[in-house]
Amino acid sequence: MDETRCIAAVEDVPTESTLLFTVRDLDDDEEREAILHRRDDGVVAWRNYCQHLTHIKIDKGSGAPMRDDELVCANHGAMFESDTGQCTYGPCEGAYLNALDVVVADGSVYLDEEGHEFVGLGGVEADGAIDLTSTSNVEF
């Protein structure tokens, strides 16, 4: 496998949360956030935004909240199946998170999405941007 596409060791991908990373879309040269989640049957990757309001991040930097094997958008309580990305509850019910292709090989997770390159772990650095997201509407 191409080591420049290696995101993380499988053992570093959480089963009860997510791992935040950044990819570059080669079509427009924009960096975008994505998340990894480890399941019993492998590792999945999603773009890091809610389908209700796409400026709201699922993982705000410390791992996405989860409940009953579903990713939770802490802003409005939308819940997404961790295997399919389908929203099962909330204002975007029926919508799907946008998937990114990854592959597991030799104990590591690699980006396998055409037209994208792995930038690094963590989120996109926004110069002076104010995070308008909130978790005040949902309690765990």
Side-chain angles (χ1 to χ4, degrees):
M1 296 297 306
D2 179 356
E3 290 303 313
T4 65
R5 299 180 75 73
C6 182
I7 301 168
V10 172
E11 65 189 27
D12 293 336
V13 180
T15 57
E16 299 296 324
S17 188
T18 57
L19 180 68
L20 180 64
F21 68 102
T22 300
V23 297
R24 178 174 291 108
D25 185 324
L26 299 177
D27 288 335
D28 61 13
D29 202 39
E30 290 290 321
E31 290 187 359
R32 295 187 173 85
E33 291 183 4
I35 53 178
L36 290 177
H37 172 67
R38 182 165 41 114
R39 302 177 37 78
D40 289 340
D41 59 352
V43 177
V44 293
W46 310 106
R47 294 278 179 107
N48 188 30
Y49 58 84
C50 182
Q51 292 298 302
H52 174 225
L53 298 170
T54 57
H55 69 279
I56 294 177
K57 298 175 181 184
I58 302 288
D59 182 334
K60 298 177 188 305
S62 58
M66 292 191 71
R67 183 182 300 152
D68 298 328
D69 203 34
E70 292 189 313
L71 301 166
V72 179
C73 174
N75 286 74
H76 299 105
M79 298 179 70
F80 299 90
E81 293 177 341
S82 67
D83 58 343
T84 66
Q86 181 179 17
C87 181
T88 60
Y89 175 81
C92 54
E93 189 169 345
Y96 287 83
L97 294 174
N98 294 92
L100 290 173
D101 291 332
V102 293
V103 64
V104 174
D106 301 320
S108 294
V109 182
Y110 294 85
L111 181 65
D112 196 34
E113 182 74 18
E114 187 74 29
H116 290 76
E117 65 182 11
F118 174 64
V119 174
L121 292 177
V124 175
E125 295 295 324
D127 296 329
I130 298 172
D131 184 3
L132 299 177
T133 60
S134 165
T135 59
S136 62
N137 298 328
V138 177
E139 294 182 16
F140 294 99

